[in-house]
């Protein structure tokens, strides 16, 4: 069993930066595929980025490529999402997710493939 807890959300102006953290407890992170999803107001949950432990593969959604960076510190059992050059359309609740094992890259963007979720952290970007 794994518990995930996100932190680092908040209010930021467009062009600013935030770093989200997701701390895991219960099992070591190194054997997991971990990901960030987000849910904008009134919209469905969408993929942001993922990290596969076996080879460090890090696919990104096109909308965040070049601006966001996912990373993981297995010693701290924590996954991060560094968000730069934020835009108002990045406003959403951001969720951390994990699955025990190595998902194919083509499957990492589907929320149904993850069975552990955090409670979410709000990110609001003002224009």
């Amino acid at each position: 069993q794994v518990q995930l807890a996100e932190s680092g959300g908040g209010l930021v102006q467009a062009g600013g930066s935030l770093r989200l953290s997701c701390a895991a407890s219960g099992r070591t992170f190194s054997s997991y595929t971990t990901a960030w999803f987000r849910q904008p107001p009134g919209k469905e949950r969408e993929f942001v980025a993922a990290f596969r432990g076996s080879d460090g593969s890090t696919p990104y959604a096109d909308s965040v490529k070049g601006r966001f960076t996912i990373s993981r510190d297995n010693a701290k059992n924590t996954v991060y999402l560094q968000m730069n050059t934020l835009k108002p359309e990045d406003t959403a609740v951001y969720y951390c997710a994990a699955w025990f094992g190595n998902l194919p890259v083509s499957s990492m963007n589907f929320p149904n493939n993850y069975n552990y979720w955090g409670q979410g952290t709000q990110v609001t970007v003002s224009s």
Side-chain angles (χ1 to χ4, degrees), residues 21-53:
S21 299
C22 174
S25 60
R27 295 187 72 167
T28 180
F29 238 2
S30 61
S31 301
Y32 284 81
T33 297
T34 51
W36 288 95
F37 287 80
R38 67 186 182 186
Q39 188 161 13
K43 297 184 178 180
E44 294 186 351
R45 194 166 298 190
E46 61 186 33
F47 172 75
V48 177
F51 189 108
R52 184 167 67 186

Side-chain angles (χ1 to χ4, degrees), residues 83-98:
M83 306 186 294
N84 298 328
T85 319
L86 282 161
K87 305 175 181 179
E89 51 264 43
D90 294 319
T91 295
V93 178
Y94 283 71
Y95 297 90
C96 176

